[in-house]
Amino acid sequence: MNLSESIPVAAPCEAVRVATPAEAEEVSAFLLQPGLFGTPLTPGELEEFKTHPAAALGHSDDAYWLVRNGSGAVCAAIGVRMNVERTGIFEVSALAIQSACRRRGLGRGLLELALRFVKESGGRGLLFETSSDASYAPMHRLLADLGFAQVGRFPDFYYPGEDTLWYYQAIKR
């Protein structure tokens, strides 16, 4: 897969595959910024976002992409990794878009890029875990629009009252 991909959005943006420690650090800082997500990050998410972008460097089954805004700052990022069982099922490890850049097609473009990556990597499917919180409703709709099926719901997974929803899309050959 190319290191960069154009994704169709209102303003020209380019998703660039993270290839250097400096870019991985930028993605980590972006993902860890306060208020980026609709709910507080769990201790595991904090650790994942601190370490996984750098750990993914040089691994063919793990990848992060970033999108920069007009001033060069990271405004969106997605991470994808092979599941720990190594069965050909990939997981979205992170997807975040700065609030000022939402509703411009970045999420759709990044998820389509992730699906292409999984297919080109010989993967069998892509799993997306997300919060049941109402602030994630646009993501739930986007996943359904892209052909993901909700395949699971685990009560009180993140915090009491905040379930996790699992969405899955099989890769067609």
Side-chain angles (χ1 to χ4, degrees):
M1 169 168 275
N2 295 334
L3 288 181
S4 65
E5 297 277 343
S6 292
I7 53 177
V9 294
C13 290
E14 185 177 28
V16 177
R17 186 164 178 181
V18 173
T20 68
E23 290 172 335
E25 236 178 78
E26 284 184 279
V27 168
S28 287
F30 171 73
L31 293 172
L32 292 168
Q33 68 182 291
L36 181 63
F37 294 93
T39 56
L41 295 175
T42 65
E45 288 169 325
L46 289 168
E47 183 64 26
E48 174 86 11
F49 295 165
K50 283 179 192 172
T51 62
H52 193 245
L57 293 173
H59 292 270
S60 61
D61 292 337
D62 293 7
Y64 279 79
W65 289 267
L66 61 82
V67 176
R68 297 185 185 280
N69 63 20
S71 62
V74 176
C75 67
I78 191 168
V80 179
R81 65 173 171 226
M82 173 79 75
N83 70 353
V84 296
E85 293 80 14
R86 318 252 351 123
T87 61
I89 305 302
F90 285 73
E91 304 166 338
V92 173
S93 53
L95 174 59
I97 300 163
Q98 193 173 44
S99 61
C101 296
R102 292 179 187 159
R103 303 203 190 295
R104 297 181 184 178
L106 283 172
R108 177 178 296 275
L110 288 170
L111 283 167
E112 289 171 346
L113 174 61
L115 287 164
R116 282 195 308 274
F117 171 76
V118 171
K119 184 173 186 170
E120 291 174 10
S121 298
R124 297 184 302 121
L126 182 60
L127 180 66
F128 192 105
E129 177 187 313
T130 187
S131 173
S132 64
D133 188 82
S135 65
Y136 290 84
M139 179 55 63
H140 305 158
R141 286 190 298 275
L142 175 58
L143 290 165
D145 287 349
L146 287 171
F148 284 79
Q150 185 181 333
V151 295
R153 180 184 198 110
F154 301 91
D156 301 320
F157 185 84
Y158 296 108
Y159 293 104
E162 185 184 0
D163 302 350
T164 187
L165 305 177
W166 281 11
Y167 288 83
Y168 179 76
Q169 185 173 132
I171 300 299
K172 297 176 180 113
R173 298 274 161 217

